[in-house]
Amino acid sequence: MQAKDRIILALDVDTEKEALALVETLYDRVGAFKVGMQLFNSVGPGIVQKINQLGGRVFVDLKFHDIPNTAAAAGRVMTRLDAFMYNVHIAGGREMMTAVVKNTAEEASRLGVNPPAVLGVTVLTSISSTQLREEMKVDKRVEELVVEWAVMAQECGLSGVVASPQETALIREACGPDFLIVTPGIRPGWAAAGDQKRITTPREALDQGADYMVIGRPIRQAADPREAAARIIEELEE
Ligand code: C5P
């Protein structure tokens, strides 16, 4: 994989105009674009096809968490939209994940297209071990649960997980080399941390075993986004 392909640009904007302008500017300097709830719910699913038409690939970050039949149907929709990746909450359980993977593969073969990679969301990085115990009634440390859930997601046929840089090495060790790890919270040395607390540089994330890194503000808000992406690519290639 080329260094640029590892970068997933977070399109955290409200309008199609802003999103497509970023795609036009950066499609040849990043591997994919992440469309989350903000953009998807503002402009609708057609944004996925529009980004594809401009030469981008799309990670649809809607974190499905529903009964197996409903989540599986949403997975079929992601396949018809030609998403490159989409995600589901591992907390939805084995039956849900298995149904999602099966339906995604079936829809892709029916259409004669590549199935999107299905990623699992482990424990949201905003959740602490204290919240896990006191609110979710789970008596385990976050890191322990994250690794156990990553293994479960792999057993259900998911392609990989979204995880914090702090968890990457443990997941890599437990799940082996072929399981995708996508990590946010990335900050090059020259970028502002903003509200991100536990951050890693692109190089560190790669060294810890991440396949893809979700990067938003360090590129989007740079004075020259193409130059910012180029600097990150260079750092990854070193
Ligand atoms: O601008 P920034 O690089 O912080 O953007 C990171 C992106 O990754 C945002 O879209 C954010 O919602 C997402 N994300 C995150 N931390 C997580 C999960 C997702 O920052 N734990």
Side-chain angles (χ1 to χ4, degrees), residues 170-238:
L170 288 171
I171 295 170
R172 181 58 70 215
E173 197 187 349
C175 297
D178 299 329
F179 196 58
L180 298 178
I181 302 177
V182 179
T183 179
I186 303 291
R187 288 293 178 268
W190 42 267
D195 60 353
Q196 294 283 10
K197 294 194 180 67
R198 291 173 296 158
I199 55 177
T200 320
T201 68
R203 181 74 237 175
E204 285 164 353
L206 184 64
D207 291 343
Q208 283 160 12
D211 297 289
Y212 294 96
M213 37 205 94
V214 174
I215 308 180
R217 287 162 289 182
I219 296 177
R220 266 197 345 266
Q221 296 180 352
D224 182 346
R226 280 186 68 80
E227 159 69 15
R231 280 177 82 174
I232 294 170
I233 292 168
E234 213 172 287
E235 190 182 326
L236 291 174
E237 280 171 344
E238 258 164 33

Side-chain angles (χ1 to χ4, degrees), residues 8-12 34 36 38 61 63 87 121 123-126 162-165 183-187 192-196 198-199 214-221:
I8 301 180
L9 183 79
L11 291 176
D12 295 328
K34 182 170 83 71
Q38 180 187 0
D61 178 20
K63 302 184 182 70
N87 54 8
V121 176
V123 181
L124 293 171
T125 49
S126 52
V162 183
S164 99
T183 179
I186 303 291
R187 288 293 178 268
D195 60 353
Q196 294 283 10
R198 291 173 296 158
I199 55 177
V214 174
I215 308 180
R217 287 162 289 182
I219 296 177
R220 266 197 345 266
Q221 296 180 352

Side-chain angles (χ1 to χ4, degrees), residues 7-8 20 40 47 53 73 81-82 86 96 112 115 136 140 143 146 163 180 186 192 196 203 208 211 226 228 234:
I7 302 173
I8 301 180
L20 296 182
F40 195 92
I47 189 70
Q53 280 160 10
L81 286 176
D82 199 14
Y86 73 90
M96 183 206 75
M136 279 127 199
K140 261 182 209 277
E143 309 81 77
V146 162
L180 298 178
I186 303 291
Q196 294 283 10
R203 181 74 237 175
Q208 283 160 12
D211 297 289
R226 280 186 68 80
E234 213 172 287

